[in-house]
Amino acid sequence: MFCWLSRLCGELSTPTRRTTQLIWSSAARSMVLSSQRIPELSSFVARTNTCGELRSSHLGQEVTLCGWIQFRRQNIFLVLRDFHGLVQVVIPQDESAASVKKILCEAPMESVVQVSGTVISRPPGQKNPKMPTGEIEIKVKTAKLLNSCKKLPFEIKDFMKKTETLRLQYRYLDLRSVQMQYNLRLRSQMVMKMREYLCNLHGFVDVETPTLFKRTPGGAKEFVIPSREPGKFYSLPQSPQQFKQLLMVGGLDRYFQVARCYRDEGSRPDRQPEFTQIDIEMSFVDQTGVQSLIEGLLQYSWPSDKDPLVVPFPSMPFAEALASYGTDKPDTRFGMKIVDISDMFRNTEVGFLQDALSKPQGTVKAICIRKGAKYLKRKDIESIRKFAADHFNECSLMGKLRLECADLLEARGVVLRDPALFSFLWVVDFPLFLPKEENPQELESAHHPFTAPHPSDIHLLYTEPHKVRSQHYDLVLNGNEIGGGSIRIHNSELQHYVLDTVLKEDVKLLSHLLQALDYGAPPHGGIALGLDRLMCLVTGAPSIRDVIAFPKSFRGHDLMSNAPDSIPPEELKPYHIQVSWPMDAETERAHR
Amino acid sequence: MFCWLSRLCGELSTPTRRTTQLIWSSAARSMVLSSQRIPELSSFVARTNTCGELRSSHLGQEVTLCGWIQFRRQNIFLVLRDFHGLVQVVIPQDESAASVKKILCEAPMESVVQVSGTVISRPPGQKNPKMPTGEIEIKVKTAKLLNSCKKLPFEIKDFMKKTETLRLQYRYLDLRSVQMQYNLRLRSQMVMKMREYLCNLHGFVDVETPTLFKRTPGGAKEFVIPSREPGKFYSLPQSPQQFKQLLMVGGLDRYFQVARCYRDEGSRPDRQPEFTQIDIEMSFVDQTGVQSLIEGLLQYSWPSDKDPLVVPFPSMPFAEALASYGTDKPDTRFGMKIVDISDMFRNTEVGFLQDALSKPQGTVKAICIRKGAKYLKRKDIESIRKFAADHFNECSLMGKLRLECADLLEARGVVLRDPALFSFLWVVDFPLFLPKEENPQELESAHHPFTAPHPSDIHLLYTEPHKVRSQHYDLVLNGNEIGGGSIRIHNSELQHYVLDTVLKEDVKLLSHLLQALDYGAPPHGGIALGLDRLMCLVTGAPSIRDVIAFPKSFRGHDLMSNAPDSIPPEELKPYHIQVSWPMDAETERAHR
């Protein structure tokens, strides 16, 4: 299936980014690999063929094409574009075809036309080997202007170079670019393959769960939706967590959903208020089972223009990730691990090292940069020193420093992170609870309160809960968390103990879930993959906004339609709410 | 694919409804018809097999099963259930297996257990031909209690007979019923087949569009979502209409999405505040193209346990539907058309008929009920007369009367509407505009303002707009509207004229769409199918709530979790809203 996708996107225009070049070079390979049926791209519509599919094998055929005028040369040739590619159209010059000539010569660039004619061979010397349709051209008989285009604010092919604000404002023009076409089509295809794997190969049931739900206690990141009952609100859930567990209690056995989720984080770069996750839950499964499923899923849906994935993915305990990479999402495409060299300095007399080692849990750590002396310049060393000083009291310093060094080395020409390499990693054995930031005497869930404790640590739950490891697992790709899940608590008493005694939560708010666990809940577990982030890494896009058709700006605005927008007070009345306008500084001062 | 689905659901327990009986009788046929691979149902999990799949061919195999205790007989037999079916387990009686016996005899009904043992043949005379696994039983060696079940508020198998409130409150128990398992699994499978048809066979791109959008002007049925900017709100769209059109302008060519949509209609029976539609849009397509696509889509995804669909579906102009069936969604499973018999009574002297005919557009209409005299009793005639009197001034009276008569006839044993018959119908040639109810001098869109006028009526747009027919089409199934769509306006000037001059709308609010049409918008059209309603008709369920995993009550409540719910005022602060509590009658009176 990826075969035609790569082919159609590989030829639209000059690619501007590395990823697209990768697609070009591997298009031939993926065409051979793919055995799936090529979809009919011209069924039900006015064209007989797409612009991009025409080859010498079509010579002599009468075709009707629909597309956009990409380019016109001396009123003799015209390049017509559709989503599938480009084709050269010969504008007739004889008197009898004056009206056709007029249409094709007068239509502005990016106008939409329909042409009918014959596929002919290009004259000798005029073939273009760089263009997939470069052996042929269309001898036009009739032409129809379907829609004329006004002067654009910029040229389509330069679009990626424009500011992102402009791209978001005219998103429908940005979507015509080869990159956006490729990204959205690849996303659609990968998700389709995932569905085939889950639904057709492994009997998963695609169940839609509600997005108008009840607010999670303390769910500060949940959008609220006023209802027509005074003071009563729905909220948009951050994930279908409760529903997927209830589906297991309901005996659905294997659930998945490409689920829309919502998180209100205010303005944060490269986050979206709504996002999509591949949401999965299974009964009678353990950690290994979920991991194998996901490995199979990604292997099956992996684009055929990339190297096939090797499974199983390696696995690393949380503690090791922290010690060796200084983060719970290590980028394992390169080494440069963090090494504890405290012992070497135990007996040193260097003051600041002694000072450090004398503190509780004081350590001396190092990252070895091979040939660093050769590649790094004095100002690089200086910037590393400054970076370390700036982040000194953050425990993630070493992890950040490792990535900073990698950036510096790559800036000096060392290839550390191969862009064609996809390095998956399971991070496991997370702590079940963490001390609360605002009050370290109290504990909060490291992930969520439904996560099951590690079987070998369960006895610690009642004595030293902070030492309990969980059955949570994260999937990391090239240093990015792209998924996470856990085996859940299926025992009502244990769940009650965790919520009530350990976390001091109001159990009444989750009484429906506790009750469900009492009525024959099977052991179960699951995972969610962040689709936007995954597609971003797969396509090599610089931002998740490049793999979403209509993303919001980092401030959460739709720059095209201007959402969010004002609403007249009378339209808020049915929802029994009114706006509390913040007093501006002036007014406030006057009131003092 | 439907093969295993029918098989697994056909055996869970005694079905209570006609539909399920239909499934039983056709299970054998669909098993033969289906050529698709049966999914692996026990991959990645603790069981080796499902309960429901075991047959004589498994004799001698060592199996591990996980399931719910459905039934226990004299501490000797136990019936274990999973989503796939039932199997008989023999409880060991010898001393050495005392612990296994204890577990299996003491666990309450609906507890979850794991058993391992050997598949053996049932002794002669004990085989149960009514049970798909009735030739075998499991000789248990080990057993594990995975979760004990507390006393249920009712028995699972009686669940469908309970009140709907109880079913919604304990939805996770209701989901264990054979009907809900069948409905949700069939829904998943049908949608999967639709995706295969659209994505793999016809090159459609599955694009996710935002649900945090801008409010439609006057969109009284749109939920609002306060943002963190004072007075600015998102809204949840009723459909991805604008986005799908913009995707066409963006050159996506063929879009589809299984789209979540939202409509706040307050309390209305058999409506849900969130619902799902199969949303489709194509470039360079005409009405026939969209209709053929949908016919192919439904034919391809139609359950194999039902008669295959015959295409093309018949088509009927709106005016004929109204004249012959008294509705724009005629149930064409039976005749009894409305006949205009005015001419027969032109010269009559019967006063009330003369009176009616003398009025402008006064008519006399009739419905012929064949053998009505034989089947209908005096009180039926009386109830028809009363019904007519009660609805006299509604123009849809004749349509309602026709259905009322059908109900009466069926109550008397006449089979008018074959439950196995699926009668699809296209209704076409709708008016483009309708007079506004509150001010009939003004016009409003019959469907939405983006609908294109009928090509042969386009000249009327500037002179007699109320006479213009549209390129809108509805898909009707057994008297229910299950889909609707249109060819859209792709010309910016025409769209501006319709919005501004005809509809008197504020064009500024749709300036982004008008601008998009100016920048090379291709001709395009599309459709949306209501998935919930379609699944309701396909499964023969009495309510759309039976084809949705977690529906809201008719008042829009989630009875399980108690949503919508109150939110403390401080959690509303970030959204700059406060609740306007309605004054109760007492307080109001005191203030007068």
Side-chain angles (χ1 to χ4, degrees):
Chain A
M1 196 179 319
F2 292 107
C3 130
W4 65 268
L5 177 62
S6 309
R7 211 176 57 209
L8 71 88
C9 290
E11 64 184 62
L12 275 181
S13 73
T14 311
T16 56
R17 278 181 290 147
R18 195 166 44 186
T19 328
T20 323
Q21 280 162 349
L22 287 174
I23 296 151
W24 278 45
S25 63
S26 58
R29 186 177 60 79
S30 62
M31 259 192 274
V32 178
L33 282 180
S34 171
S35 62
Q36 257 181 294
R37 176 175 167 176
I38 293 174
E40 289 177 49
L41 298 172
S42 299
S43 44
F44 311 115
V45 290
R47 63 177 173 252
T48 59
N49 295 79
T50 62
C51 297
E53 73 177 301
L54 298 173
R55 298 288 183 276
S56 290
S57 57
H58 296 86
L59 282 177
Q61 286 189 18
E62 298 292 314
V63 297
T64 297
L65 307 174
C66 297
W68 285 259
I69 299 178
Q70 167 105 347
F71 182 72
R72 188 164 40 219
R73 198 165 62 225
Q74 297 159 335
N75 287 350
I76 295 172
F77 295 114
L78 185 136
V79 174
L80 196 64
R81 185 195 74 231
D82 65 14
F83 72 97
H84 202 169
L86 306 170
V87 72
Q88 180 162 295
V89 168
V90 187
I91 303 174
Q93 303 296 323
D94 45 316
E95 265 310 298
S96 65
S99 66
V100 173
K101 183 177 180 182
K102 189 174 152 65
I103 288 169
L104 294 181
C105 292
E106 290 183 1
M109 291 300 101
E110 291 299 315
S111 292
V112 188
V113 294
Q114 176 177 324
V115 296
S116 293
T118 317
V119 181
I120 57 170
S121 190
R122 293 201 192 182
Q126 290 188 26
K127 301 199 173 175
N128 182 351
K130 285 186 192 159
M131 194 174 173
T133 63
E135 300 217 318
I136 59 98
E137 58 193 10
I138 310 298
K139 194 183 168 195
V140 170
K141 292 198 183 103
T142 63
K144 211 191 281 183
L145 177 66
L146 297 177
N147 211 353
S148 184
C149 181
K150 284 205 179 156
K151 173 115 187 70
L152 294 179
F154 36 73
E155 277 195 64
I156 298 291
K157 58 181 172 162
D158 294 335
F159 210 78
M160 292 302 280
K161 301 175 203 155
K162 298 289 165 190
T163 65
E164 194 170 20
T165 305
L166 203 64
R167 287 180 57 201
L168 290 178
Q169 194 182 339
Y170 296 96
R171 189 60 165 183
Y172 46 90
L173 296 179
D174 190 28
L175 292 178
R176 291 184 197 163
S177 68
V178 63
Q179 286 80 9
M180 283 307 302
Q181 290 275 331
Y182 177 77
N183 292 354
L184 293 184
R185 284 167 197 274
L186 183 69
R187 180 179 175 129
S188 167
Q189 297 297 348
M190 259 189 89
V191 171
M192 187 64 200
K193 296 284 278 182
M194 289 185 184
R195 292 177 180 280
E196 286 172 20
Y197 180 84
L198 292 167
C199 205
N200 296 353
L201 302 190
H202 293 286
F204 279 73
V205 189
D206 179 4
V207 181
E208 298 166 67
T209 58
T211 56
L212 296 178
F213 193 45
K214 177 198 175 93
R215 191 161 167 90
T216 311
K221 290 176 176 175
E222 286 174 7
F223 288 101
V224 296
I225 304 169
S227 76
R228 285 174 189 261
E229 286 173 65
K232 296 285 178 83
F233 294 79
Y234 297 106
S235 86
L236 294 171
Q238 294 186 50
S239 90
Q241 184 62 35
Q242 290 189 42
F243 289 112
K244 68 188 200 174
Q245 292 194 238
L246 290 167
L247 285 172
M248 294 305 103
V249 183
L252 258 288
D253 200 65
R254 295 170 170 227
Y255 144 90
F256 88 100
Q257 183 182 196
V258 181
R260 191 70 60 91
C261 303
Y262 300 85
R263 198 176 296 156
D264 177 18
E265 302 192 281
S267 300
R268 280 188 61 178
D270 226 25
R271 294 279 183 128
Q272 289 286 314
E274 52 186 317
F275 57 97
T276 304
Q277 64 187 37
I278 309 290
D279 199 49
I280 290 172
E281 196 80 7
M282 297 169 84
S283 294
F284 310 112
V285 75
D286 62 11
Q287 187 160 328
T288 320
V290 177
Q291 290 177 346
S292 303
L293 171 84
I294 293 301
E295 287 160 356
L297 175 79
L298 286 167
Q299 199 176 39
Y300 184 85
S301 60
W302 202 244
S304 61
D305 62 10
K306 307 203 183 309
D307 290 337
L309 295 186
V310 177
V311 299
F313 301 149
S315 193
M316 187 185 292
F318 168 76
E320 184 188 333
L322 228 53
S324 300
Y325 296 91
T327 174
D328 60 356
K329 33 181 192 283
D331 188 339
T332 45
R333 283 176 297 179
F334 67 105
M336 288 172 39
K337 292 189 196 178
I338 300 161
V339 191
D340 190 322
I341 49 168
S342 305
D343 286 348
M344 295 171 69
F345 293 98
R346 276 288 164 231
N347 302 318
T348 182
E349 282 173 21
V350 182
F352 76 96
L353 290 177
Q354 276 301 353
D355 198 40
L357 287 170
S358 66
K359 289 184 179 151
Q361 282 148 31
T363 53
V364 180
K365 290 183 176 179
I367 297 171
C368 170
I369 305 178
R370 278 181 183 261
K371 300 198 180 165
K374 179 178 165 195
Y375 291 106
L376 295 184
K377 309 222 158 125
R378 176 180 292 272
K379 65 173 181 180
D380 295 334
I381 310 285
E382 200 41 58
S383 92
I384 291 171
R385 202 193 304 273
K386 185 170 183 319
F387 189 93
D390 288 352
H391 297 78
F392 193 69
N393 272 323
E394 300 169 22
C395 40
S396 57
L397 164 66
M398 291 302 283
K400 285 179 178 160
L401 209 52
R402 176 174 170 268
L403 295 177
E404 176 72 11
C405 292
D407 286 348
L408 286 170
L409 280 170
E410 290 193 336
R412 299 288 170 220
V414 183
V415 178
L416 269 186
R417 295 166 290 198
D418 177 357
L421 195 68
F422 292 91
S423 189
F424 284 94
L425 175 77
W426 290 108
V427 178
V428 298
D429 292 348
F430 282 84
L432 185 55
F433 306 109
L434 291 173
K436 278 187 185 170
E437 240 176 74
E438 64 277 16
N439 180 2
Q441 297 305 308
E442 289 176 14
L443 293 176
E444 62 186 6
S445 294
H447 294 93
H448 60 59
F450 314 118
T451 311
H454 200 290
S456 38
D457 291 357
I458 213 156
H459 61 286
L460 296 170
L461 198 59
Y462 306 94
T463 51
E464 298 169 288
H466 59 283
K467 287 192 180 165
V468 177
R469 287 167 304 161
S470 72
Q471 293 192 64
H472 179 94
Y473 29 86
D474 266 355
L475 184 58
V476 172
L477 170 57
N478 294 354
N480 297 274
E481 184 198 323
I482 59 153
S486 60
I487 302 304
R488 328 295 184 186
I489 298 173
H490 65 271
N491 178 294
S492 180
E493 280 169 43
L494 179 58
Q495 183 69 74
H496 191 279
Y497 180 83
V498 166
L499 286 170
D500 188 50
T501 311
V502 182
L503 299 172
K504 324 274 186 222
E505 296 265 9
D506 181 358
V507 289
K508 257 181 269 149
L509 293 160
L510 287 168
S511 59
H512 55 284
L513 193 79
L514 286 165
Q515 197 172 32
L517 296 185
D518 259 339
Y519 287 150
H524 60 287
I527 193 166
L529 301 182
L531 182 62
D532 306 301
R533 178 67 52 203
L534 174 64
M535 288 313 306
C536 187
L537 293 168
V538 170
T539 59
S543 155
I544 57 166
R545 290 186 291 279
D546 292 316
V547 295
I548 296 171
F550 299 100
K552 303 280 192 293
S553 75
F554 83 100
R555 284 204 167 139
H557 290 193
D558 179 328
L559 299 181
M560 190 177 56
S561 75
N562 189 31
D565 204 358
S566 310
I567 292 190
E570 64 270 20
E571 294 194 15
L572 298 177
K573 258 195 180 160
Y575 299 110
H576 310 281
I577 56 166
Q578 51 183 299
V579 177
S580 336
W581 293 101
M583 286 202 253
D584 63 38
E586 292 278 326
T587 328
E588 231 172 349
R589 219 171 297 133
H591 276 80
R592 267 185 208 150
Chain B
M1 195 180 320
F2 293 107
C3 132
W4 66 270
L5 177 62
S6 309
R7 209 175 60 209
L8 72 88
C9 291
E11 62 184 62
L12 275 181
S13 72
T14 312
T16 56
R17 278 181 290 145
R18 194 166 45 185
T19 327
T20 323
Q21 280 160 350
L22 285 174
I23 296 152
W24 278 45
S25 62
S26 58
R29 187 177 60 80
S30 62
M31 259 191 276
V32 178
L33 282 180
S34 170
S35 62
Q36 256 181 295
R37 175 175 169 176
I38 293 174
E40 288 177 50
L41 298 172
S42 299
S43 43
F44 311 114
V45 291
R47 63 177 173 253
T48 59
N49 296 77
T50 62
C51 298
E53 74 177 301
L54 298 172
R55 298 288 183 277
S56 291
S57 57
H58 295 86
L59 282 176
Q61 286 188 16
E62 298 293 314
V63 296
T64 298
L65 307 175
C66 297
W68 285 259
I69 299 178
Q70 167 105 346
F71 183 71
R72 188 163 40 218
R73 198 166 61 226
Q74 297 158 338
N75 288 349
I76 296 173
F77 294 115
L78 184 136
V79 174
L80 196 64
R81 185 195 74 231
D82 65 14
F83 72 97
H84 202 170
L86 306 171
V87 72
Q88 181 162 292
V89 168
V90 188
I91 303 174
Q93 302 297 323
D94 44 316
E95 265 310 299
S96 66
S99 67
V100 173
K101 183 176 181 182
K102 189 173 152 66
I103 288 168
L104 295 181
C105 291
E106 289 183 2
M109 292 299 103
E110 291 299 315
S111 293
V112 188
V113 294
Q114 176 178 323
V115 296
S116 293
T118 317
V119 181
I120 58 170
S121 190
R122 293 201 192 180
Q126 289 189 26
K127 301 199 175 177
N128 181 350
K130 285 185 191 159
M131 194 174 174
T133 64
E135 299 216 320
I136 59 96
E137 58 193 13
I138 310 298
K139 193 182 170 195
V140 170
K141 290 197 185 104
T142 63
K144 210 192 281 182
L145 177 66
L146 298 177
N147 211 353
S148 184
C149 181
K150 283 206 178 154
K151 173 115 187 70
L152 295 179
F154 35 74
E155 277 195 64
I156 297 289
K157 59 180 171 166
D158 294 336
F159 210 78
M160 292 300 281
K161 300 175 203 157
K162 298 289 165 191
T163 65
E164 194 170 20
T165 306
L166 204 65
R167 287 181 57 203
L168 290 179
Q169 195 184 338
Y170 296 96
R171 190 59 166 183
Y172 47 87
L173 295 179
D174 190 26
L175 291 177
R176 292 183 195 163
S177 69
V178 63
Q179 286 79 10
M180 283 307 302
Q181 290 274 331
Y182 177 77
N183 293 355
L184 293 184
R185 284 166 197 274
L186 183 69
R187 180 178 175 130
S188 167
Q189 297 297 347
M190 259 189 89
V191 171
M192 187 64 199
K193 296 284 278 182
M194 289 184 184
R195 292 178 180 280
E196 286 171 20
Y197 179 85
L198 291 167
C199 206
N200 296 354
L201 301 191
H202 293 286
F204 279 73
V205 189
D206 179 3
V207 182
E208 299 165 67
T209 59
T211 55
L212 297 178
F213 193 44
K214 177 199 175 90
R215 191 161 168 89
T216 312
K221 290 176 174 173
E222 287 174 8
F223 288 102
V224 296
I225 304 169
S227 76
R228 286 175 189 258
E229 286 173 65
K232 296 287 178 83
F233 294 79
Y234 297 105
S235 86
L236 294 171
Q238 295 186 49
S239 91
Q241 184 62 34
Q242 289 189 44
F243 290 112
K244 67 189 201 173
Q245 293 194 238
L246 290 167
L247 285 172
M248 294 305 103
V249 183
L252 258 288
D253 200 65
R254 297 171 168 225
Y255 144 90
F256 88 100
Q257 183 182 195
V258 181
R260 191 71 59 91
C261 303
Y262 301 85
R263 198 176 295 157
D264 178 18
E265 302 192 282
S267 301
R268 281 189 61 178
D270 225 24
R271 293 280 182 128
Q272 289 286 314
E274 52 187 316
F275 57 97
T276 304
Q277 63 187 37
I278 309 291
D279 199 49
I280 290 172
E281 196 80 5
M282 297 169 85
S283 294
F284 311 111
V285 76
D286 62 11
Q287 186 161 327
T288 320
V290 177
Q291 290 176 346
S292 303
L293 171 84
I294 293 301
E295 287 160 357
L297 175 79
L298 285 167
Q299 199 176 38
Y300 184 85
S301 60
W302 202 243
S304 61
D305 63 9
K306 308 203 182 308
D307 290 337
L309 295 187
V310 177
V311 299
F313 301 149
S315 192
M316 187 185 292
F318 169 76
E320 184 188 332
L322 228 53
S324 300
Y325 296 91
T327 174
D328 60 356
K329 34 180 191 282
D331 188 339
T332 46
R333 283 176 298 178
F334 67 105
M336 288 173 37
K337 291 189 197 177
I338 300 160
V339 192
D340 189 323
I341 50 169
S342 305
D343 287 347
M344 295 170 70
F345 293 98
R346 277 288 165 230
N347 301 318
T348 183
E349 283 171 22
V350 182
F352 76 97
L353 291 177
Q354 275 303 352
D355 198 40
L357 286 170
S358 66
K359 287 183 180 152
Q361 283 148 29
T363 52
V364 180
K365 291 183 176 177
I367 296 171
C368 170
I369 305 177
R370 280 181 181 260
K371 299 197 181 165
K374 180 178 164 194
Y375 292 107
L376 295 183
K377 309 222 158 129
R378 177 180 292 272
K379 66 172 180 183
D380 295 335
I381 310 287
E382 200 42 57
S383 93
I384 292 171
R385 201 193 305 274
K386 186 169 181 322
F387 188 93
D390 289 351
H391 297 77
F392 193 69
N393 273 322
E394 300 168 20
C395 43
S396 58
L397 164 65
M398 292 302 285
K400 286 178 178 160
L401 209 52
R402 177 174 169 267
L403 295 176
E404 176 72 13
C405 292
D407 286 348
L408 286 170
L409 281 170
E410 290 192 335
R412 300 288 169 219
V414 184
V415 178
L416 269 185
R417 294 167 290 198
D418 177 358
L421 195 68
F422 292 91
S423 189
F424 284 94
L425 174 76
W426 291 107
V427 179
V428 297
D429 293 348
F430 282 85
L432 185 56
F433 307 109
L434 291 174
K436 278 188 185 168
E437 242 177 72
E438 65 279 17
N439 179 3
Q441 296 306 308
E442 291 176 12
L443 293 177
E444 62 185 6
S445 294
H447 294 94
H448 60 58
F450 315 117
T451 310
H454 199 289
S456 38
D457 291 357
I458 214 158
H459 60 287
L460 295 170
L461 199 58
Y462 307 93
T463 52
E464 297 171 289
H466 59 282
K467 286 192 181 164
V468 177
R469 288 167 304 162
S470 72
Q471 294 191 63
H472 179 94
Y473 29 85
D474 267 355
L475 183 58
V476 172
L477 170 56
N478 295 353
N480 298 274
E481 184 197 323
I482 58 153
S486 60
I487 303 304
R488 329 294 184 187
I489 297 172
H490 65 272
N491 179 294
S492 181
E493 280 169 43
L494 178 58
Q495 183 69 75
H496 191 279
Y497 181 83
V498 166
L499 286 169
D500 188 51
T501 311
V502 183
L503 299 172
K504 324 274 186 221
E505 295 266 9
D506 181 359
V507 290
K508 257 181 270 150
L509 293 160
L510 286 167
S511 59
H512 56 285
L513 194 79
L514 287 164
Q515 197 172 32
L517 295 185
D518 259 339
Y519 287 150
H524 60 287
I527 193 166
L529 300 182
L531 182 62
D532 306 302
R533 178 68 52 203
L534 174 64
M535 288 313 305
C536 186
L537 293 168
V538 170
T539 59
S543 156
I544 57 166
R545 290 186 292 278
D546 293 316
V547 295
I548 295 170
F550 299 100
K552 303 281 192 294
S553 76
F554 83 100
R555 283 204 169 139
H557 290 193
D558 179 328
L559 298 181
M560 190 176 57
S561 75
N562 188 33
D565 204 358
S566 310
I567 290 190
E570 65 270 19
E571 293 194 16
L572 297 177
K573 259 196 182 161
Y575 298 110
H576 310 282
I577 56 166
Q578 52 184 301
V579 177
S580 336
W581 294 100
M583 287 202 251
D584 62 39
E586 292 279 328
T587 329
E588 230 172 352
R589 219 171 295 132
H591 276 80
R592 268 184 208 152

